[in-house]
Amino acid sequence: MPETDLLPILLVPDTRLRTKCRAVGPQDADAVRALAPRMLATMYKAPGIGLAAPQVGDLLRLVVIDLQPDEKPDPMVLVNPEIVAASEELATREEGCLSLPGQYADVTRPAKVKLRWLDLEGGKREITADGLLATCIQHELDHLDGVLFVDHLSALKRNMMLRKLAKELKARARDA
Ligand code: ZN
């Protein structure tokens, strides 16, 4: 994919990252089919393992994920994804986010989730995920509701991270 097809990734505190996204409808089919490969290319380039449409400024319920098992591409495109069940068992994993570059923290979430979504052909899909995929799904779906991983931390920790990020981005802008 040519570099020109890559999309700029929005950074905190862009208000689009705090917006609840709307469901993809039949009228969005062409836009979503064009957007999904560009989102995947942008995610691979970053590099990251997941990207939600609001992170590139499209306020639609669309997510791409690829954990790249064995470093081979295995892309998932999730249209209108929905978590329909979550385990009581919790798991803690370190998370980061392309919209909060350089920031990482341990986040506790359900260890297992059942996910339903539509694929690009409109087919109904369902999986039960655990491990890294379960974490990634929950992190990306949060984005569709304007929620960031730092929202799962204490206010003290969240504010510390956001202040640190703001400082780093300011320094980066100054040095650019
Ligand atoms: Zn993220």
Side-chain angles (χ1 to χ4, degrees), residues 130-148:
D130 61 7
L132 178 60
L133 183 57
T135 296
C136 188
I137 286 169
Q138 293 173 81
H139 176 117
E140 298 309 328
L141 264 65
D142 270 356
H143 276 299
L144 305 182
D145 292 318
V147 175
L148 302 170

Side-chain angles (χ1 to χ4, degrees), residues 6-168:
L6 299 178
L7 300 158
I9 296 174
L10 304 183
L11 303 179
V12 167
D14 193 296
T15 55
R16 285 169 287 180
L17 294 169
R18 290 308 201 172
T19 308
K20 190 173 166 70
C21 297
R22 71 171 174 85
V24 173
Q27 75 280 10
D28 302 310
D30 289 345
V32 163
R33 262 193 289 269
L35 184 59
R38 296 183 71 186
M39 283 175 59
L40 277 166
T42 303
M43 179 191 80
Y44 290 132
K45 174 81 184 192
I49 58 170
L51 188 67
Q55 291 182 278
V56 292
D58 275 276
L59 301 178
L60 288 172
R61 302 189 82 79
L62 172 68
V63 161
V64 296
I65 289 177
D66 191 344
L67 302 185
Q68 296 155 69
D70 312 317
E71 288 166 38
K72 286 199 192 81
D74 182 21
M76 292 171 78
V77 176
L78 311 177
V79 177
N80 294 340
E82 220 181 322
I83 290 169
V84 293
S87 64
E88 268 176 51
E89 189 201 337
L90 302 175
T92 300
R93 198 176 283 276
E94 186 178 70
E95 296 187 26
C97 181
L98 296 175
S99 294
L100 292 93
Q103 312 304 310
Y104 301 91
D106 281 345
V107 178
T108 300
R109 304 177 182 270
K112 245 190 221 181
V113 291
K114 188 197 263 190
L115 179 75
R116 281 193 194 137
W117 74 97
L118 299 176
D119 61 29
L120 278 180
E121 284 72 49
K124 286 186 184 163
R125 308 281 294 268
E126 182 180 302
I127 52 163
T128 299
D130 61 7
L132 178 60
L133 183 57
T135 296
C136 188
I137 286 169
Q138 293 173 81
H139 176 117
E140 298 309 328
L141 264 65
D142 270 356
H143 276 299
L144 305 182
D145 292 318
V147 175
L148 302 170
F149 79 93
V150 290
D151 298 334
H152 295 278
L153 309 175
S154 69
L156 181 71
K157 203 155 185 206
R158 174 169 59 251
N159 291 335
M160 261 170 53
M161 285 185 79
L162 292 176
R163 267 202 301 274
K164 183 165 155 269
L165 175 64
K167 225 188 235 173
E168 286 172 13

